[in-house]
Amino acid sequence: MATTRQAERSSPWRAPILFGVLALLFVLEGTTRNALFSGSWNTSLAILNMGIISAVMALGLNMQWGYAGLFNSGVVGFLAIGGLAPVLISVAPVEGSWSAGGMRVAVALIVGLGTLFLASYTWRKLRGTWRVPALLAVLIIGFALYRWLFDPAVMAIEANQAAQYGNLGGLGLPVLLSWPVGALFAAAAAWGVGKVALGLRSDYLAIATLGIGEIIVAVLKNEEWLARGVKNVTSIPRPVPYEIQLQQDPEFVARAASWGVPLAEASGIWVKLAYAGLFSVVLIALILLAELSLKSPWGRMMRAIRDNEVAADAMGKDVTGRHLQVFVIGCAVMGLAGAMMITHDGLMAPTQYNPLRYTFLVWVMVVVGGSGNNWGAALGGILIWFLWTKAESWGPQLIALLTSPLPAGALKQHLMESAAHMRFIAMGAVLLLVLRFSPRGLVPEK
């Protein structure tokens, strides 16, 4: 084991070579048309864009697990709450929603938060027999006032243009502004979760974050006044041109003709390249900032806490405070990724937040890429997303090849119908292979 770790540390070209192999896969996807690759740059760039967003997700989780050893099993919830930002910030306001009940909802939320703070203050300040009755009185009165304000306001908002809207809408601000706001939304939620859950043992923290993640997704699905629930919010503004705008631009039409590329294909490639540029700037900036923090005294302290909490606590380090700090930072990065994803999709659909995709798969990205290594997490995010996407088409092809000698019948039909599950088997196989031959990931922590 010691020899393996030494060999991993002594390979400075390991990461560049792996990134080069990854780039080659995307080139093959864009230029080669066969059973394995589509031969379409539109497809290749679409996978790349979601891969970069996945790398940002993995980077946020890596800050929590790789830096501090915090097991966050509620990644999906923080992505979802970050994805709410483009809806509330960039979508046009819904006419009549604020006059119908918007201000009353805002007051109700302030009352709810005030009740929680007052209950906390009451518990800290009072002692003796009046402590519990006073706390119960604050909670009961606050809850009753909150519901009295909130319920009629929500009914009025959802009744306003219910067929088309039925929600508050947004502020109509530039969509790029919603990305840092999404990070702030997730950071605020993480602070509340961390104040309660980070005092727990690691296994209880995993259970708590799993429950919180599901609660956040359930709220988005059911609170229609906020983001239309399962009715979805469409037409979220883009930070890049629309394909139809490019196709109507004479200069772009002439440019596409000079390239010898069909106009529709050229416009799609141009838009995806613009997205890739934006997402790459965000990812590289985050990696550089994360590398600076990891090599700073703060980063060394975090790794010391991760490796031995008891020793760090004995040396006077605020272990719980530092855990809260890195938990909030990691969730903020996840919220940023959630806002980027909703902007890219142009659609807010709470039903898409599947824990298998947005928690388990992100964990696979971090483990495969290299826990504790920021470049490794980014590599794992893009690579695993590429394999996850391509396994959807590779799986049926593999099953068809393996079952070709079988006679037609129930067994062959069952295997072919089960081919869609090959992507789950593929991810499990990739994870097992990496854990067997490179237990510290493809790009191990230095």
Side-chain angles (χ1 to χ4, degrees):
M1 180 62 71
T3 304
T4 302
R5 292 188 176 184
Q6 185 176 1
E8 289 174 343
R9 288 195 190 102
S10 60
S11 303
W13 293 102
R14 186 180 184 124
I17 290 173
L18 289 173
F19 273 104
V21 172
L22 185 59
L24 178 61
L25 288 176
F26 282 99
V27 171
L28 291 173
E29 178 68 21
T31 58
T32 306
R33 187 171 185 84
N34 53 35
L36 296 179
F37 301 103
S38 69
S40 167
W41 279 111
N42 268 307
T43 303
S44 180
L45 290 171
I47 298 173
L48 176 62
N49 285 333
M50 273 305 301
I52 296 173
I53 294 173
S54 298
V56 176
M57 299 177 193
L59 194 62
L61 182 60
N62 183 58
M63 292 176 182
Q64 297 172 342
W65 175 248
Y67 291 13
L70 298 177
F71 195 96
N72 181 1
S73 58
V75 176
V76 63
F78 298 104
L79 291 171
I81 202 168
L84 183 62
V87 177
L88 299 182
I89 299 299
S90 304
V91 173
V94 176
E95 185 178 355
S97 62
W98 280 96
S99 59
M103 292 305 300
R104 188 161 175 163
V105 164
V107 173
L109 294 176
I110 292 171
V111 168
L113 291 174
T115 300
L116 294 177
F117 282 114
L118 184 58
S120 176
Y121 179 83
T122 302
W123 183 260
R124 291 197 310 268
K125 293 299 181 180
L126 291 184
R127 295 291 184 272
T129 57
W130 288 102
R131 191 183 197 187
V132 173
L135 177 65
L136 291 175
V138 168
L139 291 175
I140 292 171
I141 294 172
F143 180 75
L145 181 58
Y146 166 77
R147 300 302 301 191
W148 178 76
L149 290 167
F150 185 77
D151 290 348
V154 165
M155 293 177 63
I157 293 171
E158 293 180 354
N160 177 51
Q161 304 183 60
Q164 187 175 1
Y165 297 108
N167 66 308
L168 277 175
L171 300 176
L173 299 175
V175 71
L176 288 179
L177 181 62
S178 69
W179 293 7
V181 173
L184 290 175
F185 282 179
W191 183 86
V193 173
K195 291 293 287 185
V196 175
L198 286 178
L200 303 174
R201 267 182 11 204
S202 58
D203 48 351
Y204 295 134
L205 174 64
I207 296 170
T209 51
L210 176 64
I212 291 296
E214 290 301 308
I215 289 170
I216 293 173
V217 174
V219 168
L220 290 180
K221 287 180 179 178
N222 291 283
E223 297 298 325
E224 295 185 10
W225 63 273
L226 189 60
R228 301 197 74 215
V230 295
K231 296 177 181 177
N232 305 338
V233 177
T234 58
S235 302
I236 294 173
R238 283 182 172 184
V240 299
Y242 287 89
E243 288 85 351
I244 190 66
Q245 293 175 339
L246 294 173
Q247 293 170 19
Q248 295 173 352
D249 182 356
E251 292 185 6
F252 184 82
V253 172
R255 193 178 300 125
S258 67
W259 295 338
V261 179
L263 183 58
E265 182 179 352
S267 62
I269 291 173
W270 188 264
V271 168
K272 291 177 177 65
L273 281 172
Y275 270 126
L278 280 174
F279 296 159
S280 297
V281 168
V282 173
L283 177 61
I284 292 172
L286 287 174
I287 291 176
L288 294 179
L289 290 173
E291 285 291 296
L292 289 173
S293 66
L294 192 60
K295 295 175 182 176
S296 69
W298 178 86
R300 292 191 290 272
M301 175 187 64
M302 289 308 308
R303 283 185 286 187
I305 291 174
R306 177 197 65 189
D307 294 337
N308 195 327
E309 289 187 19
V310 176
D313 185 62
M315 294 178 66
K317 303 301 180 183
D318 183 5
V319 174
T320 303
R322 298 289 75 78
H323 277 172
L324 178 62
Q325 192 176 57
V326 77
F327 186 74
V328 169
I329 293 172
C331 288
V333 174
M334 295 174 193
L336 173 62
M340 292 165 62
M341 184 178 70
I342 293 300
T343 304
H344 176 258
D345 295 343
L347 170 71
M348 175 58 168
T351 53
Q352 74 175 330
Y353 292 112
N354 183 350
L356 181 64
R357 160 65 182 98
Y358 295 109
T359 295
F360 169 73
L361 199 63
V362 179
W363 270 101
V364 173
M365 294 170 182
V366 172
V367 173
V368 169
S371 174
N373 190 307
N374 296 307
W375 291 103
L379 173 72
I382 300 173
L383 175 63
I384 293 300
W385 179 253
F386 181 89
L387 295 177
W388 173 262
T389 304
K390 295 304 295 180
E392 187 174 11
S393 60
W394 291 348
Q397 295 173 14
L398 178 60
I399 293 295
L401 178 65
L402 295 176
T403 58
S404 58
L406 296 177
L411 176 60
K412 186 172 184 177
Q413 182 180 356
H414 171 72
L415 291 174
M416 290 301 299
E417 290 175 352
S418 302
H421 301 294
M422 278 295 295
R423 66 194 320 183
F424 306 117
I425 299 173
M427 291 302 102
V430 169
L431 183 60
L432 288 174
L433 287 172
V434 171
L435 291 176
R436 171 61 183 85
F437 296 104
S438 184
R440 299 172 62 231
L442 295 177
V443 185
E445 180 183 5
K446 296 180 181 180

